[in-house]
Amino acid sequence: MQLPDPRADAGLAPADILPEADDAPEPGGAEPQLLHGEVPADAAGERLDKVLARVFAQFSRSRLRAWCEGGLVSMSGSVAAPRTKARAGARLQLQVPVDPEASSFAAEPVPLQVVWSDADLAVIDKPAGLVVHPAAGNWSGTLLNGLLARFPDAAALPRAGIVHRLDKDTSGLLVVARSLEAQTELVRQLQARSISRQYLALAWGELAAPLWVDAPIARHPRDRLRMAVVPGGKPARTQLRSLGCCRGDFGVVSALRCVLESGRTHQIRVHAQHAGLPLLGDALYGRRGAPRLSLQRQALHAALLRLRHPRSGQWMQWVSPVAQDIAAQWRELGGDPALLDCSAWGPLADEAGAAGSAAR
């Protein structure tokens, strides 16, 4: 659901987000393209890669620089390097290479809950159990396959427009692009940390005050299936806020509102464990010796998504009600269902800055 935000004009920043490098789409499509342009008169003498980003704005400057270094850009008929000085009025030619992935996946009738769609983007409410992108062991039946069936034009986009991911067993909202221009802009917003993603989680333990977990994440040094807090890993920050807790025979369980300042693989799950608040049902990072529960996956739901529309620049926000299996587990433990109501969620006043204490 789109919610108007009267504070948007005041310049309030949403949560900071940084996507994993592996999650950034690789430009290119199923068919090679040959694009032409001209150096603007006021760009004479500038570096060619800077001019390319202006002329071919649908691509990122880093990607254009890589293509330039690969000999795919010519100026006035001659292959040109990124540092070449542009000449006013010179003709530019860009060869956009084929993305091998773009032609390797098939459209499949995977059911998708589309909560918003226009010519530029779509917002999907992903169920738990659905893999976002094909990979070893899951080459079909993924969200990407479903996108190709629902939006046939997505075949021309890198990764069918996917710009970020959710783990297979995490439910909730994610945005996909429906044009190359929108995809480039959404990736830029992710890299600029201006897309807000907030999650609802159930965790073992109690959180007395808001907590910023500031701890670098990298591949676990011994278990390659897991991520871990590792010195020298990629910077990662997560804000954890308690929505309330319940006490029972199994111990204390807290409902948490989790805000990402970065977007590392398994970040919330790793940081929650690091803070002594492992998520219920988490097979990789959960509490050792935890009792058997009805919930068959990690209790993590992407509840809020907030971003600037890539074309209009208008702030847009969507909220997804907590998944039924998480809500049922919370009730089974004796939790108050009202605490899981995220319909009134919005940007937090301190999303972009440290709040409370920090765990390192």
Side-chain angles (χ1 to χ4, degrees):
M1 171 174 67
Q2 180 183 0
L3 302 177
D5 186 355
R7 294 168 292 180
D9 292 338
L12 296 177
D16 294 334
I17 306 294
L18 182 64
E20 280 292 282
D22 289 344
D23 288 349
E26 292 292 328
E31 299 292 336
Q33 302 177 62
L34 192 61
L35 304 180
H36 298 86
E38 183 176 300
V39 176
D42 60 356
E46 293 184 0
R47 284 175 53 118
L48 182 58
D49 58 351
K50 181 178 179 180
V51 176
L52 291 172
R54 180 175 167 186
V55 175
F56 304 109
Q58 67 268 44
F59 304 111
S60 68
R61 183 175 175 181
S62 61
R63 181 53 51 181
L64 288 165
R65 184 186 305 117
W67 287 340
C68 202
E69 291 171 345
L72 300 178
V73 175
S74 62
M75 183 170 63
S76 298
S78 299
V79 174
R83 294 178 178 273
T84 302
K85 298 298 183 183
R87 299 189 298 275
R91 297 294 297 172
L92 299 173
Q93 179 174 288
L94 169 65
Q95 300 177 57
V96 180
V98 173
D99 175 10
E101 287 188 343
S103 59
S104 61
F105 305 124
E108 298 177 10
V110 177
L112 298 178
Q113 183 178 351
V114 180
V115 300
W116 173 271
S117 177
D118 62 18
D120 300 291
L121 58 83
V123 176
I124 312 295
D125 198 340
K126 187 188 86 69
L130 179 61
V131 174
V132 171
H133 192 279
N138 293 284
W139 289 114
S140 64
T142 70
L143 185 140
L144 184 147
N145 299 113
L147 288 173
L148 292 173
R150 182 68 176 264
F151 306 114
D153 290 347
L157 300 176
R159 301 189 182 184
I162 293 171
V163 295
H164 68 107
R165 303 184 187 185
L166 295 177
D167 294 338
K168 174 183 177 180
D169 288 327
T170 296
S171 54
L173 300 171
L174 78 165
V175 62
V176 297
R178 296 198 57 200
S179 70
L180 186 56
E181 292 80 4
Q183 190 170 31
T184 300
E185 172 57 25
L186 289 172
V187 169
R188 285 171 176 163
Q189 289 187 42
L190 285 164
Q191 292 172 338
R193 302 181 175 185
S194 64
I195 292 182
S196 177
R197 288 182 291 172
Q198 298 182 25
Y199 294 70
L200 190 149
L202 302 183
W204 297 107
E206 186 172 2
L207 181 63
L211 176 72
W212 276 100
V213 183
D214 187 349
I217 291 177
R219 189 71 58 183
H220 194 285
R222 293 180 299 278
D223 185 348
R224 305 306 292 173
L225 295 178
R226 302 173 62 195
M227 308 299 288
V229 170
V230 177
K234 293 181 179 180
R237 283 168 57 87
T238 307
Q239 182 183 171
L240 304 177
R241 289 180 173 233
S242 177
L243 299 170
C245 64
C246 62
R247 290 173 170 82
D249 295 339
F250 292 157
V252 181
V253 174
S254 293
L256 302 178
R257 184 175 180 178
C258 311
V259 182
L260 293 172
E261 185 174 325
S262 51
R264 308 305 179 198
T265 300
H266 299 175
Q267 178 173 318
I268 291 174
R269 300 162 65 190
V270 171
H271 274 175
Q273 180 196 47
H274 182 67
L277 297 161
L279 300 191
L280 271 65
D282 194 330
L284 284 178
Y285 308 102
R287 190 179 85 180
R288 291 186 178 180
R292 185 180 298 275
L293 301 173
S294 300
L295 188 66
Q296 297 299 304
R297 50 102 172 190
Q298 66 257 14
L300 187 61
H301 180 75
L304 179 143
L305 177 66
R306 185 171 184 267
L307 52 83
R308 282 190 182 274
H309 191 276
R311 183 187 300 269
S312 70
Q314 175 188 0
W315 282 110
M316 303 186 74
Q317 177 175 300
W318 299 268
V319 174
S320 169
V322 65
Q324 292 183 4
D325 58 345
I326 294 178
Q329 181 65 76
W330 178 247
R331 291 193 303 269
E332 185 178 312
L333 293 170
D336 180 358
L339 296 177
L340 304 190
D341 182 6
C342 49
S343 61
W345 284 16
L348 297 172
D350 57 357
E351 269 186 308
S357 55
R360 297 178 182 270

